[in-house]
């Protein structure tokens, strides 16, 4: 479901050599960390992130990236969102950007609790329960794991500090959850 995935399939079908992307490791420019715990290890195999300070979230997305996103059916939103969508389409790796300054305490990946509510990035307010894997902080749910982030921690053009998340959620833990709320997201797909 990504450019890399399609290239891998074409190489397997045709015998052509797959050219691997060279992705260089980028050293952290600060020692900042945000605490993360995974209470629901049966739903989340890995949750990693990096704190990135002093970003210009109002910087424009490069024209070439906006054009590629549009050709792929994506609506450019902002540089931060566009970069994460680009990586998802290219490598099949959904990412999520949090406004670091809006996070309240440690992030915890856990199952929802009856009565908890969450306003999503699409504007919908949903109620979670013990069958829904959630990303939470001390304020409660801040995202539906592997599906969509929440409004309360979204990065905006005024955001200066980020927490960039890359996680692996077991398919069984997220399958059917977006449909349950009557919407589809690229990350869930």
């Amino acid at each position: 479901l990504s450019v890399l995935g399609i290239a891998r399939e074409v190489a397997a079908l045709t015998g052509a050599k797959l050219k691997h992307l060279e992705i260089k490791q980028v050293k952290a420019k600060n020692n900042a960390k945000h605490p993360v715990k995974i209470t629901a290890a049966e739903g989340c195999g890995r949750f990693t992130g990096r704190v990135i300070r002093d970003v210009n979230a109002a910087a424009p997305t490069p024209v070439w990236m906006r054009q590629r996103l549009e050709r792929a059916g994506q609506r450019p939103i902002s540089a931060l969102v566009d970069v994460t969508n680009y990586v998802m389409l290219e490598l099949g790796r959904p990412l999520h950007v949090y406004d670091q300054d809006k996070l309240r305490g440690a992030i915890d990946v856990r199952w929802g609790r009856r009565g908890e509510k969450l306003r999503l990035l699409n504007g919908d307010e949903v109620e979670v329960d013990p069958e829904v894997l959630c990303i939470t902080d001390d304020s409660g749910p801040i995202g539906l794991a592997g599906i969509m982030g929440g409004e309360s921690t979204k990065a905006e053009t005024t955001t200066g500090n980020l927490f960039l998340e890359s996680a692996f959620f077991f398919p069984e833990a997220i399958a059917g959850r977006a449909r349950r709320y009557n919407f589809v997201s690229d990350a869930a797909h």
Side-chain angles (χ1 to χ4, degrees), residues 166-186:
S166 178
F168 172 75
F169 304 104
F170 294 108
E172 309 81 45
I174 61 171
R177 296 334 190 267
R179 275 191 310 275
R180 174 183 185 170
Y181 295 114
N182 203 25
F183 71 87
V184 177
S185 72
D186 289 323

Side-chain angles (χ1 to χ4, degrees), residues 118-137:
L118 167 66
R119 181 157 311 277
L120 297 168
L121 290 172
N122 67 1
D124 290 355
E125 184 173 83
V126 298
E127 191 167 325
V128 301
D129 62 43
E131 294 181 7
V132 178
L133 191 62
C134 295
I135 309 302
T136 68
D137 68 6

Side-chain angles (χ1 to χ4, degrees), residues 15 51 93 98 188:
V51 174
R93 169 61 33 212
Y98 300 88

Side-chain angles (χ1 to χ4, degrees), residues 27-110:
K27 285 190 166 217
K29 294 188 178 185
N30 65 57
N31 293 326
K33 294 183 178 173
H34 191 88
V36 172
K37 64 182 177 176
I38 302 173
T39 301
E42 69 281 6
C44 178
R46 186 172 180 93
F47 190 102
T48 61
R50 179 172 280 181
V51 174
I52 304 170
R53 300 249 187 242
D54 302 320
V55 299
N56 178 3
T61 302
V63 172
W64 65 266
M65 185 178 286
R66 284 198 320 263
Q67 290 172 341
R68 287 182 182 181
L69 288 168
E70 287 168 348
R71 280 183 252 157
Q74 293 280 322
R75 179 179 56 90
I77 297 170
S78 69
L80 297 176
V81 174
D82 295 346
V83 166
T84 62
N85 283 338
Y86 192 87
V87 170
M88 179 182 63
L89 292 171
E90 184 178 34
L91 303 177
R93 169 61 33 212
L95 303 172
H96 185 70
V97 176
Y98 300 88
D99 184 321
Q100 170 77 24
D101 298 328
K102 293 178 183 176
L103 291 170
R104 302 290 165 244
I107 287 177
D108 186 13
V109 183
R110 64 164 171 82

